[in-house]
Amino acid sequence: MLEPFTGPFADLGEERTQGTELAIEEVNESDEFDFEIEYETYDTQSDPEDALSEASEAVQSQGAQFLTGCISSDVALSMNDFALDNEVLYTPGAADVAITGERCNEYVFRFETSTAQIAEAMAQWTYEEQGDQIFYHLADYAYGESVRNEFESRMEELSDDYEAVGETRAEFGAGDFEAYITQIEGAADEADAVVIGSTGEDLTTFLSQAADRGLPDEIPIVTTTASFTPVRAGAGDAATGVFSGVRYYPDLEMGDNQEFVEAYEAEYDEPPDNFSRVGYDSIRMMVRGIQEAGSDDPTEVADVLGGLEQETIFGPNEFRECDGQAVNPVWMGELVEGDDLPDVEILMELDGEEAIPACEETGCER
């Protein structure tokens, strides 16, 4: 289990770990399986080199056959390559399109919703409700670049008049966004919305500083991940009025989600969020692949896991054979005033087939 237990994504890493551990506990206590899962945790510190070192320790010294985790897209992409080189199965926690796109391989299967899937809902809603003149503020690493590319390609399909009126980029872990906010304010008269491609502590800090400056009163803020509980909790009232793509919310009446919510709340005394559901069903889907293969050899499991329909919190789902991506539904939401933290009000929904790119468009060759 490779997660960022320290650094800007530590809250997200802890959340994903809780979902992962709950799934492992259920598997080990179930009569459905004739095996148990043993695991160790490793801190990636959101750094590719640290993650590779920890993965090497897990595989070469501890004999790990299956890897899961990594919130940072840069780190997850390094794990993609590691999984292929070492023939171990990997279920990532990051959203960059390349993970199940041009950097895919036959050992990688992702239950996390990709940037391409969430951008489908975001672009449609933004075009219909806000307009087609867009300013971008991006985290300056793989994920931010992925948000720009995926959102922009869809806006170009939707509108002949689409224009990117400006862009700012902040390094990962930046703590001061004042200069970027000033640039966004300067473009507010010509931009219909500002699209934010960042997450975790970076997004929380940006939203707090933007609210202090009154930016939401000048231009709609559209994000990929402000619906995440740690972001809403960290930003507090500063997140109210922000629009966000939504990958998961606990009230979903789909699949066995309500059973998951009940078990998670009983274990951790709090509702699950996106990364906890990713950790949870990444394990459950992987384990059913082991059961289907009748083997714990990662290559044999990978051979049967693609296209294997399974029951998930989203209902029947699968990792596609063509790219290893789960066919997840997506939503668009607005953060509204809540009791302890802003709530998410759902504005639109796309089902899994509507949201996921066609296989031939992904760039994946498995």
Side-chain angles (χ1 to χ4, degrees):
M1 192 185 306
L2 297 152
E3 299 292 4
F5 296 114
T6 55
F9 289 166
D11 287 347
L12 303 181
E14 181 60 30
E15 177 198 314
R16 192 180 188 283
T17 297
Q18 290 181 173
T20 302
E21 290 182 331
L22 178 61
I24 292 172
E25 179 181 324
E26 290 180 359
V27 169
N28 288 349
E29 292 178 355
S30 172
D31 294 332
E32 182 180 355
F33 307 101
D34 59 2
F35 56 84
E36 291 189 355
I37 300 174
E38 297 179 354
Y39 73 98
E40 297 287 343
T41 60
Y42 298 85
D43 186 4
T44 69
Q45 302 180 63
S46 293
D47 180 86
E49 291 303 318
D50 287 324
L52 287 169
S53 176
E54 295 290 87
S56 295
E57 168 68 18
V59 172
Q60 295 170 11
S61 299
Q62 302 299 323
Q65 300 162 291
F66 302 88
L67 304 178
T68 192
C70 303
I71 306 298
S72 163
S73 291
D74 281 349
V75 176
L77 286 166
S78 72
M79 286 298 101
N80 267 37
D81 298 337
F82 180 90
L84 178 62
D85 292 343
N86 291 272
E87 297 183 349
V88 292
L89 195 142
Y90 173 47
T91 53
D96 188 336
V97 172
I99 293 168
T100 50
E102 61 187 18
R103 296 276 296 276
C104 76
N105 67 67
E106 60 267 33
Y107 289 96
V108 177
F109 297 86
R110 176 166 61 179
F111 189 67
E112 168 63 310
T113 303
S114 78
T115 307
Q117 291 164 298
I118 205 69
E120 191 67 40
M122 288 176 58
Q124 287 188 32
W125 180 87
T126 302
Y127 172 64
E128 293 170 2
E129 300 296 333
Q130 303 297 341
D132 55 13
Q133 306 298 291
I134 306 298
F135 193 102
Y136 294 90
H137 173 72
L138 309 171
D140 195 13
Y141 73 107
Y143 178 67
E145 185 69 25
S146 181
V147 170
R148 168 72 190 256
N149 292 341
E150 296 304 316
F151 187 89
E152 183 165 64
S153 66
R154 284 157 179 79
M155 290 297 288
E156 289 172 340
E157 293 176 0
L158 290 165
S159 173
D160 292 336
D161 296 323
Y162 162 75
E163 184 178 355
V165 300
E167 177 187 287
T168 53
R169 290 178 180 249
E171 66 180 18
F172 178 62
D176 185 356
F177 296 93
E178 294 292 335
Y180 308 117
I181 294 168
T182 297
Q183 292 181 63
I184 297 167
E185 287 175 330
D189 287 342
E190 56 180 322
D192 294 319
V194 56
V195 170
I196 312 299
S198 68
T199 192
E201 191 175 300
D202 284 1
L203 180 56
T204 298
T205 304
F206 175 88
L207 293 177
S208 297
Q209 294 177 10
D212 288 343
R213 291 277 295 272
L215 186 65
D217 296 327
E218 299 184 44
I219 185 171
I221 298 176
V222 179
T223 76
T224 53
T225 63
S227 61
F228 291 175
T229 297
V231 174
R232 289 184 287 130
D237 291 341
T240 302
V242 170
F243 301 101
S244 180
V246 179
R247 309 178 199 188
Y248 172 78
Y249 59 103
D251 292 340
L252 279 172
E253 296 287 348
M254 302 178 77
D256 57 3
N257 180 60
Q258 287 308 308
E259 289 86 344
F260 165 56
V261 171
E262 182 178 349
Y264 192 93
E265 289 180 338
E267 186 73 19
Y268 301 111
D269 198 30
E270 62 183 15
D273 198 40
N274 181 68
F275 286 105
S276 39
R277 68 90 184 170
V278 173
Y280 184 74
D281 260 340
S282 291
I283 293 298
R284 293 204 304 170
M285 294 181 80
M286 178 194 72
V287 162
R288 293 183 190 123
I290 295 172
Q291 184 182 42
E292 180 72 14
S295 169
D296 62 5
D297 180 275
T299 300
E300 294 183 20
V301 176
D303 285 343
V304 302
L305 197 50
L308 179 64
E309 186 171 294
Q310 307 188 36
E311 184 65 21
T312 72
I313 60 167
F314 293 143
N317 204 340
E318 65 177 40
F319 295 123
R320 293 196 303 186
E321 287 188 72
C322 68
D323 60 359
Q325 178 63 50
V327 187
N328 298 336
V330 293
W331 299 263
M332 193 66 193
E334 180 180 3
L335 306 190
V336 298
E337 185 176 346
D339 294 330
D340 298 323
L341 71 165
D343 288 332
V344 180
E345 181 179 298
I346 298 300
L347 304 174
M348 69 167 289
E349 175 183 357
L350 294 178
D351 67 32
E353 294 295 344
E354 291 175 309
I356 199 165
C359 288
E360 59 269 20
E361 296 174 0
T362 65
C364 177
E365 297 181 4
R366 287 163 65 99

